[in-house]
Amino acid sequence: MVAFDIPTRIGVQVSPQHATFQQSIDAVRRLEDMGVDAVFNWDHFYPLSGEPDGEHFECTTQLAAWAQATERVELGPLVFCNSYRNPDLLADVSRTLDHISNGRFILGIGAGWFERDYDEYGYEFGTPGTRIGALAEAMPRIEARLARLNPAPVRHMPVLIGGGGERKTLRIVAQHADIWHSFAGPDELQHKLDVLQGHADEIGRDISGMVVSNGASIRQGVGGRGLDRLDALHELGTRFVTISISGDDGPDGYDVDGIQPFLDWRDAKNA
């Protein structure tokens, strides 16, 4: 199923934590100038690392500001938590962000997992099974609402779904995703791809053009094991790698300069 002939791309998740709002805007502008293909934030209400009550900003409004501050780079959440918004509202938010960015929005979505968000903001946490079930129910509603909105999205917004559960999550990916964001390492990715293909065959969907995505850490870098891991994932068909940076990476905030080796790696793969 993997399309090996598509270009390799680099995204950067500019985590909305431990930094001022202006620092995040400055970071995405610099990343765009450097040639990054996409920038992402995340859909949480508190930091995921470092000081748990540190500085933090909301996902959708931050993306709107980034869309106005940039011109070329694609952008989106990695990923929206399905639990936090009515699916029809989420479709409308996504369509509006697509217009603000003039057709650069990636609709990333997942089932949700960070219990503190749920507890502090009054959402029912449930179980992994109920959250994944809710995502399965939401996706057709999101698609139906997008088809009814006036005006329509600027383009077909790529749908990115994150997760690797073989029985439920990968079936949702097979049904709805244009991009699968995998957390699988090189030793298990091929098995996950086979499971995903099996779901696609069962429902009769051609996923030969689906983009396989994965992540890397700025602290890991691309030297040594980091580069070996990316090379191995690339050999298996991964064509979208997103590196996460945080506002507390260093004394000056986001380590934007640390992204350059990943861009060099991308360019070598695309040569």
Side-chain angles (χ1 to χ4, degrees), residues 126-138:
T127 66
T130 61
R131 295 193 298 277
I132 293 170
L135 177 62
E137 294 174 1

Side-chain angles (χ1 to χ4, degrees), residues 141-155:
R141 286 182 59 184
I142 291 170
E143 291 167 350
R145 179 59 60 183
L146 287 172
R148 294 172 60 189
L149 288 170
N150 182 19
V154 176
R155 63 168 179 171

Side-chain angles (χ1 to χ4, degrees), residues 2 89 96 122 140 143 207 213 266-267:
V2 176
L89 171 62
T96 302
E143 291 167 350
I207 59 170
S213 171
R266 175 201 64 187
D267 295 344

Side-chain angles (χ1 to χ4, degrees), residues 39-58:
V39 291
F40 298 96
N41 62 2
W42 64 38
D43 193 17
H44 296 289
F45 306 128
Y46 295 93
L48 299 186
S49 63
E51 169 54 48
D53 292 312
E55 291 175 293
H56 196 277
F57 291 100
E58 191 273 334

Side-chain angles (χ1 to χ4, degrees), residues 8 12 36 44 67 106 130 150 158 182 199 236:
T8 300
V12 178
V36 164
H44 296 289
I106 297 172
T130 61
N150 182 19
S182 165
H199 286 304
L236 293 168

Side-chain angles (χ1 to χ4, degrees), residues 173-248:
V173 172
Q175 290 175 308
H176 301 285
D178 302 293
I179 305 168
W180 171 44
H181 188 71
S182 165
F183 301 96
D187 57 339
E188 59 176 342
L189 179 58
Q190 186 59 60
H191 169 70
K192 297 285 188 183
L193 289 169
D194 292 342
V195 172
L196 178 59
Q197 185 63 59
H199 286 304
D201 292 342
E202 184 178 341
I203 64 176
R205 184 186 177 205
D206 178 9
I207 59 170
S208 59
M210 185 178 292
V211 177
V212 180
S213 171
N214 210 299
S217 168
I218 191 70
R219 295 187 173 100
Q220 183 184 46
V222 294
R225 290 183 56 198
L227 181 57
D228 292 343
R229 177 179 178 275
L230 292 184
D231 283 340
L233 290 170
H234 192 272
E235 282 291 317
L236 293 168
T238 299
R239 292 296 182 268
F240 203 160
V241 175
T242 297
I243 302 94
S244 181
I245 61 177
S246 175
D248 59 348

